[in-house]
Amino acid sequence: MFRKLAILGWLTFSCFSLVASELTPEQANEYLKIPDTFSTSGEFVQHKHFKILDKPFVSSGFFKNEGDTFEWTTLVPVTSALIFDGKTLWQQESDGQLKPLLLAGHYIVVVEALVTGDIKRLGDFFRFETYQKTSCLKLLPKDKQMALIAKTIDFCYENSQLKVQLNESEGNYTTIDISLAAIDDKTRD
Amino acid sequence: MKNGRSILLIAQLVVMLILLVFVSINGIRFKADLLSMLPNTEYPNAVAHAESKLFSQAANRIMLSFSGDAKAQAYDDMLEGIQKYGWQAQLPESQQIERLAAFYSQFSGALLSEGYKREIASPVSFEQYFLHQLSQVSSPWISKTINTDPSLATASYLEHILSVQAALILENGRLVAANSPEKPLVLFIALSADPKDSQGVNFSIKTANELSSLTNMLAAKYASVKIDASGMVLHTAENAANAKWEMNVFGGLSLTLTLLIVIWAFRSLAPVLWLSFTIANAFVFGFCIVAVTFDAVHFITLVFGVTLIGVGVDYCLHVLTNRYSKDKISVGKTIFFAFITTFLCYSLLFFTPLLILKQVAVFVSAGLFAAFVASFWIEKTSSLSWVNRGIRPRNCERLLKLLTQTPRLNVAFGGLILILFIVKTPVFDDNIAMLNASSTSLTEAQSYHHQLLGQQGKIRVFLYEQSLQSLLKNEEGLADKLTREFSNIELVKLSDWIPSTRNQAANRQLQQHAYHSDVYEPLLQLSPNFKLAANNDLVTLNNFVAANGSDYIARYYVDVEPFHVSVLEIGNISLSQLRPIVENTHNAVIFDKQSALTEVLKSFRKQMTYWLLGAIALISILLWARFDWSTMLKSLFVIVVSISGALVASSLYQHSLNIFNLLSAILLMGLAVDYLIFHREHPKTNANILAITLSALSSLLVFGMLAFSQTPAIYSFGITVTAGLILIYLLAPLVIKEENEQRSI
């Protein structure tokens, strides 16, 4: 009887370890093996899955990081750009004018860290957990405000490709597929 | 006669005892906030009450900001530290968007932002808008509301109302000042559940000390972090601590020095006891009357009350010098006449609109009465001279000669002062900010916090109506007018959160029209079953408050029966641009407390000038009636020169004068009349000159001390009275007549 219970306990523990084990940013980096020289610019394709819409809404564009400035530009289906200069987030209007976006200033930092695979930075906002897929991590927001972006984030790195899934509220979710535009030779801190 | 004086004293002491018991049973409330004692501005009652309510809410709160490398750690330590004092951190509602989204989603279509209205004007503009919104990488308002409102109207509305108040944003559970480059962290602390508790002086001092120990501890731990604190409680604590210290130090010092002079002059301790009795009687009686007459005793009243020592002691000094000297002259009638004139002068202050001066008037008038009663009794008591070694110096002839031998020189000196007054006429600055007694660091912290909250340069407009819907319509109408005329204007208002029902109904119609005009075609392609919500529910104050929305509108809405009052915060516009539009709006006023109080002080100063002139005329008549034309003219000369000279001297030191310099002129007049009467009424005796000299010295000690105060109101008062006293002492002997007749006294 005791032996059976011990085996059952060991099995439960092993399953739990496999399903969810919390990692430090260093362990997470080691786990996904994202190279230090991962691109800080690339292209993206975004699929928005809203329960209310019969089919996903697809948009695409590119992003680039130059010095302190991060730019997220959507080309399809409409052209628009978000520019973060390190302090303020600006939205570029169709006429080229820049409008500050005060409320989303700190979200863009997270987006930048997600699409450039900056796990150290992501560690400021999320806890990391492993789950079924060996090439993926589950990101859990450290505070409720960050949970407004997504309740959880599936963050995967496979075949030199990043794939991010934002699991939002009400059953809605967004997937972002990142493909590298060019390998940046700058080494990240 | 002697029995009559004793009965009067006993009656006064009995009244004082009864008042003391009454005050002890009911307790005394103290105040230290100078602003609360200023006159009411000329705003409509509804607005004044609303502002007072908003002010009380703010009085219960402290704002802290943290900047520097380790600001987050310092913030977290502070959060932990405040718990031991039972203070509540007003942490932001991290689920506010979820809560607001859930609430506003129920009224889909009734709430349209101005931007959204423009987008649904045509299918093309909506298509651009819709595609742009859905292309965003992340939008909390869209993901929270799209399932209940795919038209994105609610998402747009949420983004709009949260953006207009985006001075503070939430990051990792902490508020961050978004507009400041160093992105300081901001923490609001609620001090007690009952806002009335935070008005107490002792509570304020205790709170300020506790906060100071916390910030000092954090400053030592995190050297790179700068912590700034602001709040009404801190102003109250600073003012109260100042006033307490000054009252104790100035009161104690002037009393000690006065008593030392008395001991030296009389070569006996007995006069010290009589003087102490007179002063104590005056102070306690004055205090009891004020405590019974007013809801709360202001600390500044007590600081001004110190002047009572200087004036009250005069009566007793005259009695004592005459009793201790060889010249046994009764001074009863003289001190009565002196008391009446000074009493009348101080009573004038009661008719001023400044509550603080009403308190000073009551305090000093009652105190003077008690001082007079005590001195009146002392004059006839047989137990006066335990040890009578006579007064020192034995004769004041030299001093008397010095003061009286050169009347022409005195007149010339007076004339010079008048010319100087005309050439260098003192300038008054009525700006209420000039009376601010708070420290520079506290004032700077407050200004910095205003800047962080985006309130610097904002103008507040109050609107009031008996019906809430009329108020909302009025507010929307004013906002429309302003937005049409000034495209860059910034507006934060109640109707952002709760639009009028008329506006909401119009929004629904507009959206229906857009729907039937195929504006929503891009949405229908993705969601063919999309239909506008069929319900007709509207947002109301009741359902907004029921959904825990009160916090959002606390700064913009006040209910003061029978009025509803709203506050518009307007930026990017000047007062001169705004004024004509607000003046043409029904039940709307621009609320600028500082300017309004400055205006009140200005008009009050003008009134005071007329009162002062009237009082001088009244005194002149009294002096003419009591003495003669010559005495009246000479007295008028002395009073006018003393006041003019004191104001010129003050303006040379202070650069610009304020209302308190003028108020001191009233006291100067009272003191001058006392000296003039004593010089004119009595023969040129050693005792008389010594009594006047001792009076002047004691008054100088008291008012000279006030000139060292940290509080602008008090040092202004002290400087003018000190300068004036010196002039009165030098010029008053002009009224002495060689043939001073012995009056029947």
Side-chain angles (χ1 to χ4, degrees), chain A residues 46 48 50 52-54 57 77-78 80 87 91 103 106-107 143-145 148-149 168-170 172 176, chain B residues 94 128 131-132 134-138 141 143-144 146-147 150 162-163 170-172 183 526-528:
Chain A
Q46 180 177 277
K48 284 216 171 264
F50 292 119
I52 193 81
L53 304 184
D54 288 358
F57 180 86
V78 284
S80 68
K87 283 179 181 168
Q91 181 176 291
L103 287 175
H106 57 299
Y107 294 148
D143 69 65
K144 286 177 178 170
Q145 187 66 15
L148 289 171
I149 292 184
E168 296 159 26
S169 55
E170 319 285 334
N172 303 324
I176 308 171
Chain B
S94 57
Q128 284 293 309
L131 298 178
H132 180 260
L134 292 197
S135 301
Q136 287 189 55
V137 62
S138 171
W141 12 95
S143 67
K144 298 284 174 212
I146 193 166
N147 289 355
L162 292 171
S163 298
L170 204 54
E171 251 183 62
N172 297 329
K183 301 276 185 273
L526 290 168
S527 177

Side-chain angles (χ1 to χ4, degrees), chain B residues 266-281:
Chain B
F266 292 98
R267 297 193 292 179
S268 166
L269 274 176
V272 171
L273 291 177
W274 295 120
L275 275 170
S276 304
F277 167 67
T278 307
I279 293 168
N281 188 41

Side-chain angles (χ1 to χ4, degrees), chain B residues 220-360:
Chain B
K221 191 172 172 186
Y222 305 104
S224 65
V225 178
K226 183 170 174 279
I227 304 172
D228 287 296
S230 67
M232 278 309 300
V233 167
L234 304 180
H235 285 278
T236 306
E238 257 194 11
N239 290 345
N242 253 345
K244 261 187 174 175
W245 186 87
E246 287 175 2
M247 200 172 61
N248 292 336
V249 173
F250 297 162
L253 260 178
S254 55
L255 189 63
T256 311
L257 291 172
T258 305
L259 294 179
L260 283 175
I261 291 171
V262 170
I263 292 170
W264 173 82
F266 292 98
R267 297 193 292 179
S268 166
L269 274 176
V272 171
L273 291 177
W274 295 120
L275 275 170
S276 304
F277 167 67
T278 307
I279 293 168
N281 188 41
F283 208 86
V284 176
F285 191 64
F287 181 79
C288 288
I289 296 276
V290 168
V292 170
T293 317
F294 297 92
D295 285 343
V297 180
H298 203 286
F299 268 103
I300 303 289
T301 304
L302 299 184
V303 177
F304 274 117
V306 172
T307 61
L308 184 62
I309 299 172
V311 186
V313 82
D314 289 2
Y315 307 146
C316 194
L317 278 172
H318 278 282
V319 168
L320 291 172
T321 43
N322 279 291
R323 286 295 302 269
Y324 273 65
S325 71
K326 288 173 281 182
D327 329 303
K328 304 288 182 202
I329 299 165
S330 174
V331 290
K333 269 192 178 173
T334 315
I335 62 169
F336 177 70
F337 190 50
F339 157 67
I340 286 295
T341 47
T342 316
F343 179 86
L344 278 175
C345 283
Y346 267 103
S347 302
L348 270 181
L349 293 181
F350 190 78
F351 301 101
T352 65
L354 284 172
L355 185 56
I356 195 166
L357 294 177
K358 284 182 196 287
Q359 285 201 359
V360 172

Side-chain angles (χ1 to χ4, degrees), chain A residues 5-21 130-132:
Chain A
L5 275 175
I7 291 168
L8 191 64
W10 179 80
L11 282 172
T12 311
F13 177 76
S14 304
C15 289
F16 183 77
S17 307
L18 276 174
V19 171
S21 121
T130 56
Y131 74 121
Q132 299 96 329

